[in-house]
């Protein structure tokens, strides 16, 4: 039996460099940094005082105040991005079999703001347990998927995938496979995250995972640079409509690209550090290429995990060179986290959109802020430094890795 094909027919986002797709794509091409001093709380006593926050976002202008009581910030971002994607896909609800439309969403930490507020509110009181009835529904990570389905009446497969920073890649992979297996015709997929709060910044700071370039936040996220000192925490969401190809054609949908292949693996090495030889990353990328039925020479653009951490960037490039060999020098490589920062569980979805941008616009987004490439990284690789580059991108690959050794790779192909 011939495998059902999966295509992307709708896209949406809200992230540190764009409150919608048009703005995001424009700033990707221009190499805009979304980093700045944290405004969400007073971070003056923290070692890292910078983050990539969503700008000019007023939820009261989007949601009814009564309705807003039900949504943690991560769910607000999910609904904004998903709404743009659904509208972009031109889904006519009255003409759609809603039992065949699902939502596979992701979040690394879910409603952590709600959890923190409720617990601190109790701790600062007189000991009487007065918790909001919305506490649990706002906090749990699966509710964003639930809210999207509630808004549109989507009754197909509905759940949340959590695998740290690999979460939204795994969500998209699940969505792709469910459509391939005939379990759904369309799935809203992606991820959202709202981690810029005291516990998250404090926790990652104590691990020495965050950049402390507080005097120069715009240049703090600098993947592949010899002076990189950690990632910049970020928030936002990315949403994509995955749809079975024949279904999309039958309803006259515009098609951005095809979801060609998926790969997943584990490092089985360390709780937080990547395997130094990138063994798990190699396996994930190799499986994705095999699933897509293509070779290393076919990949035009690789959007790396590229977080700007000392260990991670080198391990990933080591893996790329080990798998791709001489073909590694023929493709464009970049890290869009240099602009958006690291959105944890939502990062893969936002980076999948960067791959869609590269394929549809013929422009590879840059890696900004690199002043001198790390000596451990081959300078002959095309890391797309500084400015975007024009290229006919027929195949784009995106890597996302997470604490726990979770590796995930997804491949998009021009139709």
């Amino acid at each position: 039996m011939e495998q059902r094909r999966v295509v992307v027919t709708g896209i949406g986002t809200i992230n540190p460099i764009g409150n919608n797709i048009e703005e995001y794509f424009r700033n990707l091409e221009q190499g805009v940094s979304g980093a700045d001093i944290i405004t969400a709380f007073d971070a003056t006593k923290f070692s890292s005082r910078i983050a990539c926050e969503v700008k000019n976002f007023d939820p009261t202008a989007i949601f009814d105040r009564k309705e807003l009581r039900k949504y943690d910030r991560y769910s607000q971002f999910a609904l904004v991005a998903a709404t743009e994607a659904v509208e972009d896909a031109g889904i006519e609800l009255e003409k759609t079999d809603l039992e065949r439309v699902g939502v596979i969403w992701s979040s690394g930490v879910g409603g952590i703001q709600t959890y923190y507020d409720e617990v601190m509110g109790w701790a600062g009181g007189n000991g009487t347990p007065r918790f909001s009835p919305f506490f649990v529904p706002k906090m749990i990570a699966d509710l964003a998927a639930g809210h999207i389905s509630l808004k549109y009446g989507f009754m197909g497969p509905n759940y949340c995938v959590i695998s740290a920073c690999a979460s939204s890649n795994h969500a998209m992979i699940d969505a792709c496979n469910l459509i391939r297996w005939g379990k759904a015709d369309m799935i809203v997929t992606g991820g959202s995250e709202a981690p810029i709060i005291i516990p998250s910044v404090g926790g990652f700071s104590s691990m020495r995972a965050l950049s402390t370039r507080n005097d120069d936040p715009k240049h703090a996220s600098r993947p592949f640079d010899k002076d990189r000192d950690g990632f910049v925490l970020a928030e936002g969401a990315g949403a994509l409509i995955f749809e079975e190809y024949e279904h999309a054609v039958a309803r006259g949908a515009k098609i951005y690209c095809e979801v060609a292949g998926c790969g997943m693996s584990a490092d089985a090495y360390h709780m937080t550090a990547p395997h130094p030889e990138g063994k798990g990353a190699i396996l994930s990328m190799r499986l994705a290429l095999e699933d897509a039925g293509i070779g290393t020479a076919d990949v035009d653009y690789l959007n790396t995990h590229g977080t700007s951490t000392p260990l991670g960037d080198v391990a990933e490039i080591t893996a790329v060179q080990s798998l791709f060999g001489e073909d590694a020098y023929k493709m464009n490589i970049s890290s869009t986290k240099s602009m958006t920062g690291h959105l944890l569980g939502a990062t893969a979805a936002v980076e999948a959109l960067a791959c869609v941008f590269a394929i549809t616009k013929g422009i590879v987004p840059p890696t900004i802020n690199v002043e001198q490439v790390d000596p451990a990284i081959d300078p002959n690789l095309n890391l797309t430094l500084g400015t975007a580059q024009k290229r006919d991108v027929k195949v784009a690959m995106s890597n996302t890795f997470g604490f726990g050794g979770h590796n995930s790779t997804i491949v998009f192909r021009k139709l």
Side-chain angles (χ1 to χ4, degrees):
M1 181 179 176
E2 187 176 348
Q3 181 172 268
R4 286 158 53 100
R5 297 170 67 187
V6 181
V7 293
V8 178
T9 57
I11 51 178
T13 192
I14 178 168
N15 68 66
I17 64 169
N19 286 23
N20 53 57
I21 282 293
E22 182 181 3
E23 188 177 359
Y24 176 48
F25 281 4
R26 182 173 64 250
N27 287 330
L28 267 184
E29 182 177 356
Q30 294 177 357
V32 173
S33 170
D36 213 329
I37 298 296
I38 292 172
T39 64
F41 64 92
D42 182 0
T44 53
K45 294 184 179 180
F46 288 76
S47 59
S48 178
R49 300 186 289 277
I50 57 178
C52 287
E53 295 175 300
V54 169
K55 284 82 172 171
N56 304 314
F57 175 62
D58 178 10
T60 63
I62 301 171
F63 304 105
D64 177 85
R65 288 185 179 274
K66 186 176 181 181
E67 182 185 32
L68 197 54
R69 295 172 58 204
K70 305 174 186 177
Y71 304 146
D72 183 89
R73 188 172 173 88
Y74 96 99
S75 289
Q76 296 168 23
F77 290 152
L79 284 163
V80 169
T83 297
E84 183 181 17
V86 169
E87 292 177 355
D88 182 52
I91 299 173
E92 298 180 74
L93 298 179
E94 68 280 0
K95 297 180 181 179
T96 302
D97 183 354
L98 301 183
E99 293 183 0
R100 299 283 299 170
V101 185
V103 183
I104 312 298
W105 203 254
S106 64
S107 183
V109 296
I112 190 170
Q113 177 72 66
T114 294
Y115 183 85
Y116 177 71
D117 290 345
E118 291 286 333
V119 171
M120 291 304 292
W122 171 77
N126 60 7
T128 301
R130 293 174 178 164
F131 291 87
S132 166
F134 295 113
F135 174 26
V136 173
K138 287 176 68 175
M139 173 194 70
I140 53 180
D142 68 298
L143 250 293
H147 285 310
I148 295 168
S149 70
L150 283 166
K151 177 173 182 175
Y152 294 104
F154 297 150
M155 297 178 65
N158 185 284
Y159 58 88
C160 175
V161 177
I162 301 177
S163 52
C165 302
S167 296
S168 49
N169 242 8
H170 280 132
M172 290 186 288
I173 291 169
D174 276 12
C176 177
N177 285 331
L178 285 169
I179 294 172
R180 284 175 168 179
W181 299 335
K183 305 298 183 183
D185 295 325
M186 286 189 283
I187 292 181
V188 183
T189 188
S192 56
E193 207 78 273
I196 304 175
I197 64 170
I198 289 170
S200 297
V201 175
F204 283 119
S205 291
S206 69
M207 295 174 64
R208 298 184 179 178
L210 299 181
S211 172
T212 57
R213 195 181 285 262
N214 300 308
D215 59 341
D216 187 19
K218 295 294 183 186
H219 300 92
S221 185
R222 46 202 307 119
F224 317 132
D225 188 86
K226 75 177 185 66
D227 292 326
R228 67 191 183 282
D229 67 336
F231 70 83
V232 178
L233 193 62
E235 63 179 359
L240 301 92
I241 306 300
F242 282 11
E243 185 169 355
E244 193 274 324
Y245 173 71
E246 298 293 346
H247 186 274
V249 171
R251 71 180 185 89
K254 70 173 176 289
I255 296 174
Y256 287 99
C257 58
E258 181 176 8
V259 187
C262 311
M264 298 176 284
S265 71
D267 278 350
Y269 172 74
H270 188 272
M271 186 168 63
T272 56
H275 192 287
E277 298 172 21
K279 288 185 176 180
I282 292 169
L283 177 58
S284 181
M285 289 186 286
R286 177 169 62 78
L287 291 173
L289 291 174
E290 290 175 359
D291 189 37
I294 60 176
T296 55
D298 297 309
V299 179
D300 299 298
Y301 170 50
L302 172 64
N303 187 297
T304 64
H305 186 53
T307 58
S308 187
T309 56
L311 295 178
D313 291 3
V314 172
E316 183 175 10
I317 294 300
T318 297
V320 170
Q321 290 192 274
S322 178
L323 177 65
F324 281 78
E326 288 302 312
D327 290 330
Y329 299 93
K330 301 173 185 177
M331 65 182 177
N332 278 79
I333 299 169
S334 78
S335 171
T336 49
K337 286 186 181 70
S338 59
M339 294 175 275
T340 66
H342 192 355
L343 288 90
L344 306 183
T347 200
V350 172
E351 288 161 13
L353 295 173
C355 290
V356 173
F357 166 78
I359 289 172
T360 58
K361 303 295 185 181
I363 299 171
V364 177
T367 307
I368 65 170
N369 299 332
V370 179
E371 296 177 3
Q372 184 175 340
V373 175
D374 188 323
I377 295 174
D378 191 335
N380 294 310
L381 293 168
N382 185 356
L383 300 174
T384 322
L385 300 179
T387 57
Q389 295 179 14
K390 291 184 178 180
R391 179 169 184 156
D392 181 14
V393 178
K394 294 182 175 67
V395 175
M397 171 186 281
S398 181
N399 282 335
T400 315
F401 313 135
F403 284 173
H406 311 304
N407 303 303
S408 60
T409 304
I410 193 163
V411 176
F412 299 93
R413 177 167 51 207
K414 179 184 289 188
L415 283 180

